[in-house]
Amino acid sequence: MSTVKIQAKEAKKLVVIKLSKAGLKEKDAEKIAEVLVHADLRNVNSHGVLRTEHYTNRLKAGGINANANISFQSTGPVTGVVDGDNGFGHIIGDIAMDHAISMAQKNGVGMVTAMNSSHCGALSYFVQKATDAKLIGIAMTHTDSIVVPFGGKSAFLGTNPIAYGIPGKNKKPFILDMATSNVAFGKILQAREVGKEIPKGWGVDEHGDAVTDPNKVVSLSTFGGPKGYGLSVIVDVFSGLLAGAAFGPHIGRMYDDLDKYRKLGHYFCAINPSFFTDTEEFLTQMDEMMEQLQQVPPAKGFDRVYIPGEIEQLHEEKNLEEGITIASSVYEFLKN
Ligand SMILES: NC(=O)c1ccc[n+]([C@@H]2O[C@H](COP(=O)([O-])OP(=O)(O)OC[C@H]3O[C@@H](n4cnc5c(N)ncnc54)[C@H](O)[C@@H]3O)[C@@H](O)[C@H]2O)c1
């Protein structure tokens, strides 16, 4: 695949122009661009600026509200609900996490569900907002169905990601941000393209049998068998049912029905360590724990032990200087 390297700033500017032309207010376009470029900086390109084309198509078809009136309703000292009015998930998630953070700062914990939303991008963006405020952050979102429940023949669940962010004192935060499917469908497509077999456990055929031929994959499998399956349902409950949204196969599809609102749900939580323990002690111990994990001697075939999120943070450091790498076709789309 041919690629180009551009500075993050330029990528952001191009996305803002593209989304503004498609009818979004500049301020909203800027927030979406920030979340997308955050992903590209971390080499999570699947959730980066390449998604802009899909968003503009959805905007044009009417399946996303360009003038959403996003509202927050406080439902208790530590709880609240955001109604996204079918706008962009990135903006809705940003607002919801901000409310969770301010409740956690005041009352120890903040939990916010978001409804009437759409695709929100990489969850790391939201939990990092909490860690920037020296809080623990949790985020979940359900997605449309492509994953079989453990032991099932056909897809029911989405790739349903979950993210946890935990701050350190001086070290970069622990950021675990993972889909509950074993891999993204993009990895199956990649294997098809290069004609390579896939490991058992990535996907199943139409009979629900695990396959190694990527061309036979119809649905994905969860990571860790029944454990990942269970966690995927949890994500659908927290971000779907608790948000008053649909579940599993009833969720609006990302790439079909572009003219229909998807009505997705998300879940955001912030936890203030100072309501449970001495914050300084907690942050120092987090640093020590991460340091000691990194010092565990590597097994054969590994260079060292990494902290969840660390590999992405190393990419981010490098890409901030050198620029992000995106497909030439994506660059062409953004430029024109
Ligand atoms: N909004 C949506 O609808 C949606 C749906 C699915 C996925 N996503 C996003 O897709 C992105 C990619 O998800 P994924 O599951 O493919 O991620 P992944 O499999 O690349 O990584 C999962 C986690 O494992 C950690 N990790 C990877 N290698 C490691 C190592 N050697 N040592 C320690 N930790 C390591 C990563 O830091 C990350 O926290 C995420 O940002 C997720 O939020 C979003």
Side-chain angles (χ1 to χ4, degrees), residues 38-39 42 44 46-47 51 118-126 141-144 159-164 175-184 187 254 262 264 266 302 304-312:
H38 156 92
R42 297 163 67 84
V44 184
S46 57
H47 286 71
R51 299 272 179 157
S118 62
H119 191 248
C120 66
L123 294 184
S124 52
Y125 180 83
F126 307 103
T141 182
H142 63 181
T143 70
D144 49 321
T159 53
N160 297 0
I162 182 166
Y164 285 83
I175 306 268
L176 175 66
D177 177 18
M178 47 170 263
T180 46
S181 56
N182 212 344
V183 293
K187 292 226 170 118
M254 178 130 184
R262 296 188 65 208
L264 292 189
H266 318 300
F302 292 84
R304 69 169 173 88
V305 171
Y306 290 86
I307 303 301
E310 187 184 355
I311 292 172
E312 289 83 357

Side-chain angles (χ1 to χ4, degrees), residues 185-255:
F185 205 80
K187 292 226 170 118
I188 310 284
L189 297 178
Q190 255 171 15
R192 279 181 192 169
E193 221 169 277
V194 294
K196 251 175 102 177
E197 290 218 323
I198 53 164
K200 237 181 173 172
W202 280 18
V204 297
D205 62 13
E206 77 265 32
H207 310 294
D209 293 330
V211 287
T212 54
D213 177 353
N215 297 301
K216 291 192 175 149
V217 173
V218 173
S219 311
L220 298 173
S221 308
T222 54
F223 80 91
K227 299 180 187 182
Y229 155 51
L231 198 55
S232 177
V233 175
I234 297 277
V235 171
D236 213 352
V237 172
F238 274 65
S239 60
L241 300 190
L242 207 55
F247 64 85
H250 311 289
I251 296 167
R253 299 201 73 78
M254 178 130 184
Y255 293 105

Side-chain angles (χ1 to χ4, degrees), residues 15 34 58 63 97 100 102 132 144 154 161 165 201 220 227 277 299-300 305 325-326:
V15 173
E34 188 177 311
R58 194 167 264 285
M97 189 44 117
S102 66
D132 285 348
D144 49 321
S154 52
L220 298 173
K227 299 180 187 182
T277 185
K300 202 170 151 203
V305 171
T325 304
I326 57 172

